[in-house]
Every structure is written in structure tokens, then in C-alpha cells.
């Protein structure tokens, strides 16, 4: 079995500082990366910034700063955000780096060599905000201004000499590929969208620009810069040192296990990217997963709409783990999700403070008082204990994660916490002082479940799960799913430790 796992986030435009939508993509990617790591995978996790193109050039001009200087500053805020979000990315790529330029130009030369690129002229609509070309039927006029129907961003007419990629030639191979690899695009609804777009016919794609200079030069034609999406998508390969296919990173991690993206950039990832790769005879990534949007009100959060929720403000107010938990739990994965501080506070109070934090405190305090602070040894499992313990079917959990069923995962945790709290209450160990074996067994079972749930929570709320695992003095590198398999339970007679309160309850104004 291949134990290498390569996950990527989109690379972010450093045209403005990061917002909650960016934080969301990154946190979800970190969740998968951490899950795989504690399941003994060798994980490569890439994020970074997408720094070329007219959008960035104009943003820099507006501020009267050189594009590179402009990017240096904002790219750094994305790098800082990775630390603030406690991401475990193994690399951070910038498209202005030499390693990336080399990869992009190599990929271009490969496409040119295979006769997939030719010189012609582009006349049509272009959205700088989306960095995308649109057909007439994808554009509408509102208040005298032309805009893209889907993204509502303004388009401008473009008329210039351009190199083209023979996208039309790849229509059938792409459809065959989707057909033979039903897992390639997920969720299903997005896959259907892509297939119907491709079935409608593909026109050759303009892949260079002549009217501005902020980009990677076309090899052997200095007058053109490479289209920013061909440039940007290649980041997934340049971080593995492509074109050196003998490089250990490339050998271990290509094809990528999963490109995690938002639904607005699906066409680039599920149509253009695989077509470029097919043309360059490079294997395709195993999966493109497109998540929904974080909405503010009914609209996508974005700079141009001015409805941004700043992740740093939320973290300053509530802490990082509550935000991570909330985004993973409340935004049903694959769909859009509306977020609010009110719901975040409910989540902290009920799930984190009451259900998880309280359970940890309660069972630890009880063990210290009634079991000499040790994991009890004289135990005898009954049906009610085994019913709880047997629920942790690791193979099922792994299978769900391999299908990106984050919703199953979080529901599993929430239900387990609910059932374990109920079990501890119903079993009333405090009334079992004349039946020590029973008292011990209830304590043992509850502690073991706390360990299991903390392991499962670690990819979501790493800092808090680690604090909880201090009950057993389990360190970060000892968090391994393999230690939960085959009835591998807690070692009896080891000491346990009291821990600080994990989550403070928020006093709500209307409480
Ligand atoms: N630079 C391109 C991606 C190139 S990848 C080879 C880009 N950048 S972006 O900064 O505009 O967006 C990056 C990601 O953030 C996208 O996946 C996008 O879907 C996601 N989000 C931006 N706003 C979002 C929300 N409001 N909600 C959730 N994710 C959204 O596109």
C-alpha cells in the first residue's frame, strides 16, 4: 500500500490580506494532513501564493509599489497565517521563486514540443478578477457594464496576439478519463457540472498575454508572459522539483493524492490542469475535491463585496481551536455554509466546553479521588462497556476519510461524546463503591474513550487534544491510530494527571 500522501491547498492571490475563505481551505487541508500523519502516512502538504498576472500587477500599481515588493509583503501575511492557523504544511511555495519559473517553462516547452501550443490571436472577454476568459454566452450586461454571469466580476474586451493550447483536442480523452476514474472529481454534483461543461465542447485556450509583463516569460518569445493559470497550476509540480522526475519528492508524491479547492476554481483544476498534464504525458492527480463557500449573509465572502470576516479577529477573541472546530463542524463539507459568531459561541459552549471539556475533567477528577490516580487494573467488561468501545471501527473511519466524508467524521465524534457522557451518568460509578470492579471498569472504559476521541479530535483541534492527552502523558508523536487497533487499550496502573480546563464557556448576551 502506498503510504505517501500529498495534499495541496490552492495557492492564494496576495492581492489583499487573507480572509476566512482562505483560512477555511487551509484548515480543511491541515485536517486531512494531520489525520494521515497519525495514521502513519508520509505526508507532503503544500500551500503558497499565486503572484503573477494582471490582477496582481494592477493591485500593485494602485499602491504604487513594484509588483514583487507588493507580493513580498502580502505573501508574508499568508505565511504568517499558516503559523497562526497551526498548519502543518511542509512547504510554502511562491510563484515568483526560481524553482517555480523553471518548472513552468519546462512544462511549456514540453507542451510546445508535443505540438499542443501554437501562435494565433485572441479576441474575447477577459475577467481580471477571475483571471479567466469568457465566451459571449457567459457574459451579461448589467447597468451598462459587462460582467461574467457566474462570478459577477467585470470583464473587459481583449484583442491581442496570443499562444493557444489545443484544449479542443483533449475533449474526448478528458471525458474518457472522467469515465474511467469515477473518483477523480468530487463531490458528485461538481463532477456532473464538469462533465456537462466538457461535453458542450472545448475551445482552444489562450495561454499567453502580450499586453503586460508581470509573469513568467514564454521560452523563446520574450514578448509574451505565460497565462497566470498555467503558471499557477504548475505549482503543484514545481514544489516537487519537476522537471527532475528522478527527484525523491517527485517520485514519492506525484501524482498528488488530493488537490483541495473551492468550487469557483473547479474548471481550472478539473479541465485545464488535467488537459495540460495529459498533453505533457504526466500522470494526473488522484482527486480534485471542491468544497463550498463560506457565506456571509447569502453571499460569498470576498474583498470586492466588502463582507469579509477576518480570521485573526475571531482567533483573538475565541482562540484558534474553537474556530477550527466550528468551521469543520458547521460548514457541511462540500456545501456552502453560513457562519456567525452566535453559532460559534453555541458550538464552544455545548460541544467543546460541555461535551468534551467536561467529560475530561469529570473522569479525571473521579479517577484521582476513587482509583488512587491510576488507570484501574481490576476490570471486567460488560456489554454496555464493550458497546461503546467497539464503536471505534478504524477501518470504517479511514474509508470515510479517503472519501472526504468529513461530515461522518465529525458526527461520529459528536455522537461518541454524547454517548460517553450519558454512559458515565447512567452508570453512576459514584454509587458503586461497594463493587470496585464495576467502578473500575466504568472509569477504565470512559478514560479509554477519552483517549480515542482525543486522537480523533487531534486533526481538528490539535492544541486542545494534546492538552487532553496530558491526562495520560501522551505526547504529539505518540498519537498514532495504530495504538488504538485490536483492542489495544490503556495500560493499567499508569498514573493519570489532572489537566486545566480545556474551554471556557462564553457568557452569551441573551443568556
Ligand atoms: N490563485 C487562485 C488559485 C490558484 S490554485 C493553482 C485563486 N486564489 S484565491 O485567493 O482567489 O482563492 C483561493 C481559494 O480560496 C479558492 O479555493 C477559493 O475557492 C477559496 N475561497 C475564496 N473565498 C472563499 C469563501 N468565501 N469561502 C470558501 N472558500 C473561498 O483562486
Amino acid at each position: 500500500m502506498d503510504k505517501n500522501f500529498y495534499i495541496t491547498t490552492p495557492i492564494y492571490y496576495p492581492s489583499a490580506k487573507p480572509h476566512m475563505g482562505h483560512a477555511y481551505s487551509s484548515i480543511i487541508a491541515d485536517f486531512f494532513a494531520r489525520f494521515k500523519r497519525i495514521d502513519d502516512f508520509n505526508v507532503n502538504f503544500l500551500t503558497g501564493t499565486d503572484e503573477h498576472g494582471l490582477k496582481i500587477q494592477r493591485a500593485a500599481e494602485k499602491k504604487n509599489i513594484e509588483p514583487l515588493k507588493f507580493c513580498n509583503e502580502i505573501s508574508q501575511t499568508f505565511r504568517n497565517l499558516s503559523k497562526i492557523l497551526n498548519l502543518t504544511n511542509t512547504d510554502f511555495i511562491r510563484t515568483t521563486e526560481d524553482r517555480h519559473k523553471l518548472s513552468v517553462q519546462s512544462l511549456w516547452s514540453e507542451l510546445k514540443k508535443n505540438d499542443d501550443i501554437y501562435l494565433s490571436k485572441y479576441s474575447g472577454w477577459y475577467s481580471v478578477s477571475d483571471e479567466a476568459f469568457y465566451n459571449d454566452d457567459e457574459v451579461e450586461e448589467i447597468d451598462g457594464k459587462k460582467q461574467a454571469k457566474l462570478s459577477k466580476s467585470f470583464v473587459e474586451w481583449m484583442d491581442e496576439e496570443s499562444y493557444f493550447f489545443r484544449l479542443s483536442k483533449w475533449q474526448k480523452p478528458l471525458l474518457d478519463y472522467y469515465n474511467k476514474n469515477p473518483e477523480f472529481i468530487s463531490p458528485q454534483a461538481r463532477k456532473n457540472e464538469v462533465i456537462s461543461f466538457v461535453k458542450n465542447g472545448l475551445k482552444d485556450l489562450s495561454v499567453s498575454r502580450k499586453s503586460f509583463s508581470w509573469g513568467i516569460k514564454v521560452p523563446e518569445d520574450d514578448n509574451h508572459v505565460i497565462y497566470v493559470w498555467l503558471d499557477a497550476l504548475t505549482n503543484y509540480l514545481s514544489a516537487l522539483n519537476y522537471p527532475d522526475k528522478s527527484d525523491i519528492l517527485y517520485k514519492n508524491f506525484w501524482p498528488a493524492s488530493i488537490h483541495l479547492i473551492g468550487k469557483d476554481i473547479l474548471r481550472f483544476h478539473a479541465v485545464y490542469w488535467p488537459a495540460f498534464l495529459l498533453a505533457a504525458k504526466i500522470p494526473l492527480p488522484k482527486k480534485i475535491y471542491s468544497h463550498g463557500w463560506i457565506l456571509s449573509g447569502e453571499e460569498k465572502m470576498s474583498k470586492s463585496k466588502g463582507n469579509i470576516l477576518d480570521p485573526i479577529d475571531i482567533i483573538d477573541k475565541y482562540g484558534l481551536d474553537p474556530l477550527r472546530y466550528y468551521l469543520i463542524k458547521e460548514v457541511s463539507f462540500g456545501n456552502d455554509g453560513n457562519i456567525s459568531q452566535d453559532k460559534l459561541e453555541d458550538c464552544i459552549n455545548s460541544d467543546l466546553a460541555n461535551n468534551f471539556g467536561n467529560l475530561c475533567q469529570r473522569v479525571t477528577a473521579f479517577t484521582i479521588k476513587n482509583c488512587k490516580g491510576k488507570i484501574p487494573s481490576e476490570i471486567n467488561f460488560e456489554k454496555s462497556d464493550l458497546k461503546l468501545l467497539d464503536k471505534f471501527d478504524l477501518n470504517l473511519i479511514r474509508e470515510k476519510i479517503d472519501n472526504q466524508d468529513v461530515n461522518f467524521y465529525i458526527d461520529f465524534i459528536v455522537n461518541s461524546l454524547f454517548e460517553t457522557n450519558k454512559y458515565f451518568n447512567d452508570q453512576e460509578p459514584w454509587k458503586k463503591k461497594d463493587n470496585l470492579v464495576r467502578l473500575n471498569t466504568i472509569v477504565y472504559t470512559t478514560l479509554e474513550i477519552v483517549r480515542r476521541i482525543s486522537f480523533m479530535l487531534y486533526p481538528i483541534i490539535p492544541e486542545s487534544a494534546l492538552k487532553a492527552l496530558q491526562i495520560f502523558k501522551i505526547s504529539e508523536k505518540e498519537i498514532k491510530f495504530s495504538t488504538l487497533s485490536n483492542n489495544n487499550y490503556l495500560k493499567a496502573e499508569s498514573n493519570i494527571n489532572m489537566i486545566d480546563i480545556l474551554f471556557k464557556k462564553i457568557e452569551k448576551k441573551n443568556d
Side-chain angles (χ1 to χ4, degrees):
M1 184 190 181
D2 181 10
K3 280 290 215 177
N4 291 310
F5 183 78
Y6 178 26
I7 184 162
T8 63
T9 71
I11 46 171
Y12 304 109
Y13 287 129
S15 49
K17 63 181 183 145
H19 64 65
M20 197 62 90
H22 303 134
Y24 179 67
S25 281
S26 290
I27 287 171
I28 292 282
D30 189 57
F31 162 78
F32 286 114
R34 285 179 187 267
F35 179 95
K36 285 293 180 182
R37 217 174 273 121
I38 63 174
D39 204 19
D40 284 329
F41 280 74
N42 177 21
V43 174
N44 203 50
F45 169 16
L46 178 69
T47 187
T49 43
D50 180 1
E51 307 190 5
H52 291 127
L54 198 49
K55 181 181 171 108
I56 301 291
Q57 181 172 312
R58 285 191 183 160
E61 277 164 5
K62 234 176 153 178
K63 297 239 154 151
N64 232 338
I65 311 181
E66 283 291 295
L68 185 57
K69 199 159 168 259
F70 175 82
C71 290
N72 286 345
E73 257 173 48
I74 305 192
S75 175
Q76 188 58 43
T77 64
F78 278 91
R79 213 185 268 267
N80 295 346
L81 184 72
S82 302
K83 297 259 172 312
I84 295 169
L85 297 177
N86 199 3
L87 304 186
T88 53
N89 55 303
T90 47
D91 197 352
F92 184 100
I93 194 155
R94 299 183 56 188
T95 54
T96 43
E97 289 175 60
D98 285 344
R99 59 171 172 162
H100 177 70
K101 290 182 193 163
L102 171 75
S103 286
V104 173
Q105 290 183 325
S106 304
L107 182 63
W108 176 283
S109 303
E110 196 62 23
L111 298 176
K112 187 93 197 323
K113 188 182 90 197
N114 297 345
D115 190 33
D116 271 288
I117 284 182
Y118 63 93
L119 189 62
S120 183
K121 193 177 167 209
Y122 180 80
S123 300
W125 297 108
Y126 191 76
S127 154
V128 178
S129 170
D130 302 344
E131 294 284 17
F133 302 94
Y134 288 111
N135 298 329
D136 270 337
D137 60 352
E138 292 174 303
V139 166
E140 62 189 347
E141 188 166 320
I142 292 185
D143 297 334
K145 287 203 161 178
K146 295 274 189 195
Q147 57 184 55
K149 283 184 190 164
L150 219 60
S151 66
K152 307 277 175 235
S153 64
F154 294 122
V155 295
E156 46 197 81
W157 187 255
M158 192 183 128
D159 222 335
E160 66 188 51
E161 182 188 82
S162 171
Y163 284 94
F164 280 78
F165 172 71
R166 292 188 201 282
L167 185 61
S168 55
K169 170 175 147 189
W170 296 100
Q171 179 185 10
K172 182 155 185 319
L174 280 173
L175 289 171
D176 289 346
Y177 192 86
Y178 304 145
N179 201 13
K180 281 201 200 109
N181 298 276
E183 303 290 304
F184 180 55
I185 305 168
S186 212
Q188 179 75 27
R190 303 267 176 264
K191 174 173 142 183
N192 297 344
E193 271 169 36
V194 170
I195 292 180
S196 94
F197 173 77
V198 176
K199 274 191 176 154
N200 260 335
L202 295 175
K203 291 208 298 196
D204 289 352
L205 179 72
S206 163
V207 283
S208 77
R209 297 293 309 264
K210 212 179 169 183
S211 53
F212 67 91
S213 58
W214 181 236
I216 299 177
K217 299 240 178 289
V218 165
E220 292 157 24
D221 189 347
D222 271 9
N223 296 321
H224 287 254
V225 293
I226 296 175
Y227 173 42
V228 63
W229 272 100
L230 173 52
D231 166 343
L233 288 159
T234 309
N235 89 89
Y236 303 132
L237 282 173
S238 38
L240 305 181
N241 298 327
Y242 172 84
D244 182 0
K245 294 185 177 175
S246 65
D247 189 280
I248 188 75
L249 282 173
Y250 184 91
K251 279 168 85 175
N252 278 347
F253 295 114
W254 195 261
S257 313
I258 177 164
H259 291 323
L260 194 68
I261 57 163
K263 64 181 184 180
D264 47 328
I265 55 175
L266 183 61
R267 192 182 292 182
F268 303 99
H269 281 82
V271 182
Y272 303 164
W273 182 226
F276 298 149
L277 292 171
L278 285 172
K281 302 186 174 58
I282 297 172
L284 270 50
K286 292 179 196 148
K287 176 163 286 182
I288 314 286
Y289 190 98
S290 129
H291 63 69
W293 284 337
I294 306 280
L295 304 177
S296 175
E298 289 305 306
E299 290 197 308
K300 181 185 174 220
M301 202 176 287
S302 74
K303 187 187 160 215
S304 49
K305 296 200 174 82
N307 58 359
I308 306 273
L309 251 187
D310 187 335
I312 314 252
D313 291 347
I314 299 286
I315 293 167
D316 283 347
K317 188 159 174 202
Y318 300 103
L320 171 64
D321 279 355
L323 174 68
R324 289 180 60 119
Y325 181 88
Y326 175 66
L327 288 177
I328 293 176
K329 180 178 175 220
E330 289 289 317
V331 183
S332 155
F333 194 52
N335 299 314
D336 293 347
N338 224 307
I339 61 171
S340 74
Q341 293 200 32
D342 189 45
K343 283 200 270 170
L344 169 62
E345 290 178 357
D346 287 344
C347 213
I348 296 176
N349 287 349
S350 68
D351 288 26
L352 296 177
N354 274 354
N355 284 347
F356 181 53
N358 233 356
L359 179 68
C360 293
Q361 295 285 332
R362 233 176 133 192
V363 66
T364 315
F366 189 87
T367 313
I368 289 174
K369 198 160 158 222
N370 299 288
C371 308
K372 301 191 190 108
K374 288 185 190 304
I375 294 170
S377 54
E378 275 183 61
I379 55 173
N380 185 17
F381 289 132
E382 292 180 2
K383 248 189 172 165
S384 55
D385 317 314
L386 291 171
K387 198 174 142 215
L388 266 192
L389 290 165
D390 288 346
K391 275 195 64 182
F392 283 80
D393 179 348
L394 263 179
N395 286 332
L396 175 70
I397 293 167
R398 288 182 177 121
E399 189 191 309
K400 296 284 184 187
I401 287 298
D402 284 338
N403 290 312
Q404 293 74 47
D405 197 343
V406 178
N407 300 332
F408 166 89
Y409 190 87
I410 192 85
D411 284 351
F412 183 93
I413 292 175
V414 173
N415 289 337
S416 302
L417 282 171
F418 176 80
E419 282 170 15
T420 312
N421 274 303
K422 183 169 180 326
Y423 163 87
F424 199 74
N425 283 340
D426 292 354
Q427 295 286 330
E428 301 180 310
W430 49 91
K431 289 191 185 163
K432 304 276 175 355
K433 293 198 177 141
D434 53 353
N435 181 355
L436 278 183
V437 171
R438 188 63 208 140
L439 180 148
N440 284 343
T441 309
I442 299 163
V443 168
Y444 187 98
T445 304
T446 311
L447 285 170
E448 174 59 20
I449 302 281
V450 164
R451 177 172 76 118
R452 288 173 180 245
I453 296 180
S454 302
F455 275 34
M456 285 189 73
L457 278 170
Y458 166 80
I460 305 177
I461 47 170
E463 279 306 312
S464 313
L466 273 170
K467 274 193 206 153
L469 287 166
Q470 277 312 300
I471 297 174
F472 314 105
K473 281 262 176 306
I474 293 177
S475 69
E476 190 160 21
K477 51 178 195 310
E478 291 167 318
I479 306 179
K480 294 277 173 210
F481 279 136
S482 54
T483 66
L484 303 184
S485 55
N486 301 334
N487 301 346
N488 212 340
Y489 296 149
L490 280 165
K491 205 163 151 251
E493 291 300 317
S494 333
N495 289 324
I496 62 147
N497 308 284
M498 197 62 211
I499 51 162
D500 290 338
I501 287 186
L502 291 175
F503 301 94
K504 282 205 191 85
K505 278 184 98 166
I506 313 275
E507 271 192 50
K508 296 193 65 174
K509 283 185 204 92
N510 50 356
D511 276 356

